[in-house]
Amino acid sequence: MGKKIKKEAEPPPKDVFDPLTIESKKAATVVLMLNSPEEEILAKACEAIYRFALKGEENKATLLELGAVEPLTKLLTHEDKIVRRNATMIFGILASNNDVKKLLRELDVMSSVIAQLAPEEEVVIHEFASLCLANMSAEYTSKVQIFEHGGLEPLIRLLASPDPDVKKNSIECIYNLVQDFQCRATVQELNAVPPILDLLKSEYPIIQLLALKTLGVITNDKESRVMLRDNQGMDHLIKILETKELNDLHIEALSVIANCLEDMDTLVLIQQTGGLKKLLSFAENSTIPDIQKNAAKAITKAAYDPENRKLFHEQEVEKCLVALLGSENDGTKIAASQAISVMCENSSSKEFFNNQGIPQLIQSLRSDNEEVREAAALALANLTTCNAANANAAAEADAIDPLISILSSKRDGAIASAATVLANMAMQEPLRVNMQNHDVMHALIGPLRSSNTVVQSKAALLVAATACDVEARTELRNSGGLGPLVELLRSKNDEVRRHASWAVMVCANDELTAVELCKLGALEILEEVNLSVSRKNKFSDAAYNKLLNNYLSLKYSLTGYLSSSNIIGDGFYDYGRINPGTKLLPLKDLCLQEPSDLRAVLLVNSKSDISPPPSMEDKSSDIGYGRSISSSSSLRRASKEKTNAGFGSPTEDRSEPTSGRNTALSKLAMKEKGSRKGRGKKEEEKVKEEEEVAAVPKLIGEGSPDKEWYPPSDPDFCVYVYEVTKSIFPITNIKEQIEALAKYVAEKMGGKVSKEKLHDFSWELHISELKFQLKSNVVPIGLIKQGIFYHRALLFKALADKIGIGCSLVRGEYGRAWNEIKLMNETRKGLIGALPPPEVYIVDLMFHPGGLMKLKSKEADLYIYL
């Protein structure tokens, strides 16, 4: 055998690069290595970049600037598992940087990251891929991309992963995703509730907390609540509440329970298993404010359902809520007040709070915290609505003062609720009077000027409830509250407009306030509102009529009609016809004007109790202002004055006038005898008339302008009232009453005038003389001794109203006016069956005084239109 020869090693091929070990200290160099085709270099470069990124946010930003993100995205789909794993780990860390997130969205790498969640991938890859998705899902655009690329299903599957980090990242990502309603619906389809409930058993609090937060969101949907109930989720939640060691989870557990209690079946289930009592006891006895607050919120949510309220009442939830009202924590007080607001929709609960709860709520009204005051006011508003006992209980607990102070609050909700409580209390007269003593009308000015429509509506409603007597209306008027109230009539909000109209209708119940409202333009606004089909309402129409009916001077000028229910009072004046939209000047302004060629303003005034200024002549000693002469004491005084002046009985006066009397009756008798006397006698009579008129005080008054102004007195009209009260009022037959009054009026106004001599009846000169002598356009009706149709009709109406004869006053054309009276047909009396409607007659005051003409008859038409 030959000797073995040692074989020499073969040299490496000439075309192969010798291995090179490089140690790099620059991140930029390593980033360049990401483009290497060698798997080992890629793996090591990724590992180095991962360690670099872990060191802080600055390093993540540096990697972004060096352009590391784009080459790394390609490595997510690399064939080598180690390269793919290391690249995924880098993205899990880098995705917490906002700029990296933005770039990743632009590069559309979501499908590549979601692919790493596949079951065959390593747990480490699952951990960092889910971490990347959890970081990305914090923004809406990324949520959409994850959802569209089917990321929910693998995330839900990973909830069962043995690795706690994978569970944590997956449930965090799901929590972020389910904030969107589309994702919530998909979660239900994928049956995610059972695996999420399993996470409640985790030994890691962060996983339990995220699971509870996720359940708190998805149980806003009924389907998820049903799934949670079917999977015994309520048992898990109650156990968490019973475990003191898990007190950091109690708040979130209560949030989930609050959602579940909205479902009637769930509430019944928890009641049957004793869970509801445990919940209420837990809420009442807990010392953690946030837990108490969330428990009250849970009750509030559930109590919106009537059946739930009934169950809560059976479990005496009211006691728990009253106890929570005593908490020192403001958040708990607010939540408890809100729960009471909802619970008192149940009548039994509302009765319970009558004895307990209302005092504590009123104590909350005095809190320095505006939110606490608002919540308490809302609860009281609901408690006192349609419940007089609760309103009375609130008043007895001294609620009025703090409620009125809340009307000046900065929170609109508090103001609206306080106004509602006060309006509810104002339904009882003693409470209303008490409120007025606390200056409630003045406190309403601010809310009436609010820009919030709810506050405007409630404030107007409170005005309607409190302005039921003259004192309250006077206070509102003097405080400047009518102006903002009238402005609310223009509101585009239906409820504000309706309540404002209601308030105006109530305020217009006395003449002074009605006149002021008309000055502020209420009548024109209501007229405009009533012309609109969409804006008008029952109250706007009623308010318009109420304003006119309590400002008869304006009504007659605008409409030319006063009904039998429109009783003419002292201070009424007939200005003549005015066009819609034209302002009617007040009586005082008209009295202060100099006489002009305008039509005379006719005044009705029977006040005669205030002594005239001392500067007047003795002749005017029987003229004054004040109480109506229709009172018994005034009638006796007027009778005495008349006797002293030479008056006998009204019957004797008409048959045989006493000479030398300064009354219209004596002058009329003198005129009747004028045909037998000479021209000198007529001149003497004329002089005597002028002297009498001159004795009447100037209408504008004398003395200092600072003195209180009174309307012009009318002693002759006072006498008319006395005479008709004494002689005509006792007549029992209505037709005879009307005939006697018509003859009396005609007698005072110049007597009977034939149709042929109507144009010779010189009433114009007489009125002009009165205007000149009085130095005013305003002429008291009693001074007119030669009156035409509209003078007589007004006098008839004024006197008829004094003695209770129902008649209307109608203005016609060309100085015509007449009175209409409804009378039953005598021939139908005593017949069986329904009575026919009364017939309308016109009273003749000119041609045949006392005659009655059936309306629309030829005779009546001649009287009206001749």
Side-chain angles (χ1 to χ4, degrees):
M1 290 179 63
K3 188 178 178 180
K4 285 186 179 181
I5 300 171
K6 188 176 180 180
K7 195 173 184 180
E8 295 182 3
E10 295 183 5
K14 295 180 180 181
D15 58 345
V16 175
F17 186 80
D18 294 336
L20 177 65
T21 302
I22 299 175
E23 185 175 327
S24 176
K25 295 184 179 180
K26 297 288 184 182
T29 305
V30 180
V31 169
L32 292 173
M33 295 169 67
L34 294 175
N35 293 312
S36 171
E38 297 183 48
E39 294 172 354
E40 188 176 352
I41 291 176
L42 290 173
K44 289 182 178 181
C46 286
E47 189 176 343
I49 290 172
Y50 170 73
R51 290 196 300 270
F52 181 71
L54 271 178
K55 294 177 181 179
E57 288 297 320
E58 291 182 3
N59 291 355
K60 295 175 187 177
T62 300
L63 290 171
L64 179 65
E65 291 174 3
L66 293 173
V69 176
E70 289 191 50
L72 281 170
T73 57
K74 297 174 183 176
L75 300 182
L76 286 172
T77 55
H78 199 280
E79 294 178 357
D80 186 80
K81 274 191 174 185
I82 297 175
V83 173
R84 195 164 64 249
R85 181 194 66 193
N86 291 353
T88 303
M89 290 170 65
I90 294 171
F91 278 118
I93 301 301
L94 286 180
S96 63
N97 182 278
N98 290 329
D99 294 327
V100 173
K101 287 181 192 176
K102 183 178 179 182
L103 181 58
L104 288 176
R105 286 196 300 270
E106 293 172 357
L107 295 173
D108 196 17
V109 298
M110 212 61 73
S111 56
S112 302
V113 177
I114 292 171
Q116 307 310 309
L117 302 178
E120 62 271 13
E121 296 291 353
E122 298 177 15
V123 172
V124 176
I125 292 179
H126 286 167
E127 176 187 346
F128 284 96
S130 59
L131 177 61
C132 176
L133 292 175
N135 287 328
M136 293 287 289
S137 63
E139 295 180 359
Y140 177 74
T141 309
S142 299
K143 288 180 192 176
V144 174
Q145 290 182 346
I146 295 171
F147 176 73
E148 289 178 348
H149 286 90
L152 262 176
E153 186 175 1
L155 285 168
I156 291 171
R157 186 182 67 249
L158 289 178
L159 293 178
S161 171
D163 186 81
D165 288 321
V166 175
K167 288 181 178 179
K168 182 262 178 188
N169 295 336
S170 299
I171 190 62
E172 183 178 0
C173 185
I174 291 171
Y175 170 69
N176 290 335
L177 290 174
V178 294
Q179 307 298 322
D180 181 69
F181 75 96
Q182 284 185 313
C183 293
R184 286 202 298 273
T186 305
V187 162
Q188 294 162 13
E189 294 171 4
L190 296 172
N191 196 29
V193 172
I196 295 175
L197 283 173
D198 286 339
L199 296 182
L200 297 178
K201 303 171 186 175
S202 172
E203 60 187 64
Y204 297 96
I206 183 63
I207 294 177
Q208 292 175 308
L209 182 64
L210 286 168
L212 284 171
K213 283 188 170 184
T214 305
L215 288 172
V217 176
I218 64 175
T219 51
N220 283 311
D221 300 328
K222 185 176 181 179
E223 292 78 6
S224 294
R225 293 198 293 269
V226 172
M227 291 175 69
L228 186 139
R229 185 185 70 233
D230 293 344
N231 287 275
Q232 290 75 47
M234 293 304 297
D235 294 338
H236 292 297
L237 296 170
I238 295 295
K239 283 178 183 176
I240 290 174
L241 293 180
E242 291 175 334
T243 308
K244 292 182 179 180
E245 292 76 15
L246 299 178
N247 58 4
D248 56 332
L249 302 177
H250 287 171
I251 295 173
E252 296 301 332
L254 280 171
S255 296
V256 182
I257 292 173
N259 292 339
C260 293
L261 291 182
E262 292 182 47
D263 191 55
M264 181 63 188
D265 293 334
T266 304
L267 184 59
V268 171
L269 176 66
I270 192 174
Q271 183 204 19
Q272 291 172 347
T273 57
L276 190 56
K277 276 197 172 181
K278 291 179 184 177
L279 173 64
L280 297 178
S281 175
F282 172 77
E284 192 173 344
N285 299 323
S286 175
T287 57
I288 302 173
D290 283 345
I291 290 176
Q292 292 181 319
K293 179 176 70 176
N294 278 33
K297 285 183 176 179
I299 295 168
T300 304
K301 272 191 171 184
Y304 280 109
D305 184 272
E307 294 299 322
N308 290 356
R309 288 196 294 270
K310 190 176 178 182
L311 280 174
F312 275 138
H313 176 65
E314 291 171 359
Q315 296 295 317
E316 297 183 325
V317 73
E318 297 90 351
K319 290 183 179 178
C320 172
L321 295 176
V322 171
L324 294 180
L325 281 177
S327 169
E328 294 181 1
N329 181 267
D330 286 345
T332 303
K333 287 181 182 177
I334 292 168
S337 298
Q338 290 169 341
I340 290 173
S341 299
V342 181
M343 275 303 300
C344 66
E345 292 292 324
N346 180 283
S347 58
S348 300
S349 295
K350 188 176 279 192
E351 289 175 9
F352 175 90
F353 291 119
N354 178 266
N355 299 317
Q356 302 178 55
I358 287 180
Q360 290 89 332
L361 287 169
I362 292 168
Q363 191 63 35
S364 296
L365 291 179
R366 296 184 172 89
S367 170
D368 294 331
N369 187 315
E370 290 275 3
E371 289 185 42
V372 172
R373 296 168 71 191
E374 180 176 356
L378 176 61
L380 285 170
N382 290 342
L383 281 169
T384 55
T385 298
C386 301
N387 193 302
N390 282 352
N392 199 50
E396 288 177 357
D398 297 326
I400 292 176
D401 195 45
L403 284 169
I404 290 176
S405 69
I406 288 176
L407 293 178
S408 57
S409 168
K410 295 179 180 178
R411 297 182 71 89
D412 290 336
I415 298 171
S417 297
T420 302
V421 181
L422 290 168
N424 293 337
M425 293 167 72
M427 296 296 108
Q428 301 178 55
E429 187 175 358
L431 303 187
R432 185 168 66 246
V433 172
N434 195 357
M435 288 162 52
Q436 289 164 7
N437 292 336
H438 284 77
D439 205 16
V440 67
M441 306 310 286
H442 183 75
L444 270 170
I445 308 302
L448 286 172
R449 290 194 173 115
S450 171
S451 58
N452 184 289
T453 54
V454 177
V455 173
Q456 291 173 347
S457 171
K458 301 302 181 184
L461 188 61
L462 181 53
V463 172
T466 52
C468 298
D469 51 66
V470 176
E471 291 79 8
R473 292 193 288 269
T474 302
E475 185 182 345
L476 183 67
R477 187 173 69 246
N478 294 339
S479 301
L482 295 182
L485 178 61
V486 168
E487 284 303 309
L488 295 184
L489 294 173
R490 303 181 189 273
S491 175
K492 295 180 180 178
N493 183 282
D494 290 344
E495 188 175 89
V496 173
R497 202 166 53 252
R498 182 168 57 252
H499 287 171
S501 299
W502 188 355
V504 168
M505 182 188 75
V506 173
C507 289
N509 268 311
D510 68 83
E511 186 175 357
L512 285 175
T513 310
V515 170
E516 185 64 26
L517 285 167
C518 290
K519 282 184 186 176
L520 294 167
L523 201 68
E524 290 81 1
I525 299 171
L526 287 168
E527 186 176 18
E528 181 186 341
V529 167
N530 289 334
L531 289 173
S532 169
V533 176
S534 59
R535 297 175 66 204
K536 70 178 294 187
N537 56 74
K538 291 180 180 179
F539 287 116
S540 66
D541 192 44
Y544 181 83
N545 291 327
K546 182 72 78 172
L547 278 173
L548 286 180
N549 289 334
N550 283 288
Y551 191 5
L552 295 182
S553 301
L554 178 61
K555 179 177 183 178
Y556 190 48
S557 291
L558 272 177
T559 66
Y561 180 78
L562 295 182
S563 70
S564 57
S565 61
N566 297 140
I567 307 301
I568 290 179
D570 295 327
F572 174 88
Y573 58 101
D574 175 16
Y575 179 81
R577 191 190 306 275
I578 62 172
N579 295 322
T582 306
K583 294 281 186 182
L584 178 64
L585 290 176
L587 178 60
K588 182 179 178 181
D589 293 352
L590 292 171
C591 288
L592 294 173
Q593 289 179 350
E594 291 295 322
S596 65
D597 56 354
L598 294 175
R599 173 191 185 279
V601 178
L602 306 180
L603 172 66
V604 176
N605 186 20
S606 64
K607 292 183 179 179
S608 62
D609 277 358
I610 296 179
S611 300
S615 61
M616 293 184 182
E617 297 177 7
D618 294 339
K619 188 74 175 178
S620 60
S621 62
D622 59 338
I623 300 168
Y625 311 95
R627 204 165 54 246
S628 173
I629 198 168
S630 59
S631 66
S632 60
S633 62
S634 298
L635 283 171
R636 286 194 296 270
R637 180 164 53 255
S639 175
K640 184 178 178 182
E641 290 172 0
K642 190 179 79 163
T643 304
N644 292 338
F647 281 102
S649 71
T651 310
E652 291 170 349
D653 290 344
R654 281 195 295 273
S655 61
E656 190 176 343
T658 306
S659 60
R661 294 176 313 181
N662 297 322
T663 64
L665 195 60
S666 63
K667 287 177 285 181
L668 178 61
M670 290 165 66
K671 288 180 182 179
E672 288 176 348
K673 296 176 183 178
S675 60
R676 298 192 300 271
K677 298 183 184 285
R679 176 179 172 84
K681 183 67 178 177
K682 288 186 178 180
E683 290 175 356
E684 182 183 346
E685 184 189 40
K686 185 175 179 181
V687 170
K688 197 170 184 180
E689 259 187 52
E690 291 174 357
E691 288 174 354
E692 182 183 20
V693 172
V696 178
K698 286 179 65 176
L699 296 181
I700 60 172
E702 297 181 6
S704 170
D706 295 333
K707 288 184 179 180
E708 185 177 357
W709 180 87
Y710 293 102
S713 61
D714 190 353
D716 283 1
F717 182 68
C718 294
V719 173
Y720 294 171
V721 173
Y722 171 75
E723 290 180 349
V724 300
T725 303
K726 187 174 181 181
S727 62
I728 299 176
F729 178 67
I731 300 173
T732 56
N733 185 285
I734 182 66
K735 279 193 173 181
E736 291 177 8
Q737 265 192 325
I738 294 167
E739 182 181 355
L741 183 59
K743 288 179 178 179
Y744 182 86
V745 168
E747 186 179 9
K748 300 303 178 186
M749 286 283 180
K752 174 181 176 181
V753 181
S754 65
K755 295 178 183 178
E756 295 78 15
K757 294 183 178 181
L758 184 60
H759 61 280
D760 295 329
F761 187 64
S762 58
W763 61 274
E764 295 96 336
L765 179 60
H766 174 60
I767 299 297
S768 298
E769 288 174 350
L770 288 174
K771 287 165 60 177
F772 175 76
Q773 291 158 2
L774 297 169
K775 294 183 173 54
S776 172
N777 268 356
V778 178
V779 178
I781 192 70
L783 293 182
I784 299 174
K785 310 307 176 189
Q786 287 181 284
I788 196 68
F789 292 91
Y790 70 91
H791 303 119
R792 300 184 182 208
L794 176 58
L795 181 58
F796 184 89
K797 168 70 172 168
L799 293 174
D801 287 344
K802 294 289 184 184
I803 61 173
I805 297 176
C807 75
S808 61
L809 176 61
V810 186
R811 190 196 306 281
E813 300 291 338
Y814 309 111
R816 295 297 174 99
W818 60 91
N819 304 100
E820 294 179 358
I821 291 183
K822 293 181 179 179
L823 294 173
M824 292 300 299
N825 190 334
E826 296 289 335
T827 60
R828 294 286 298 175
K829 285 187 177 180
L831 295 180
I832 298 174
L835 289 174
E839 294 179 334
V840 182
Y841 294 89
I842 291 176
V843 183
D844 189 339
L845 300 172
M846 287 289 294
F847 307 136
H848 302 285
L852 295 179
M853 303 165 284
K854 191 177 291 188
L855 186 65
K856 295 186 179 178
S857 66
K858 184 178 180 181
E859 188 181 11
D861 289 344
L862 287 173
Y863 184 83
I864 295 171
Y865 303 114
L866 180 63

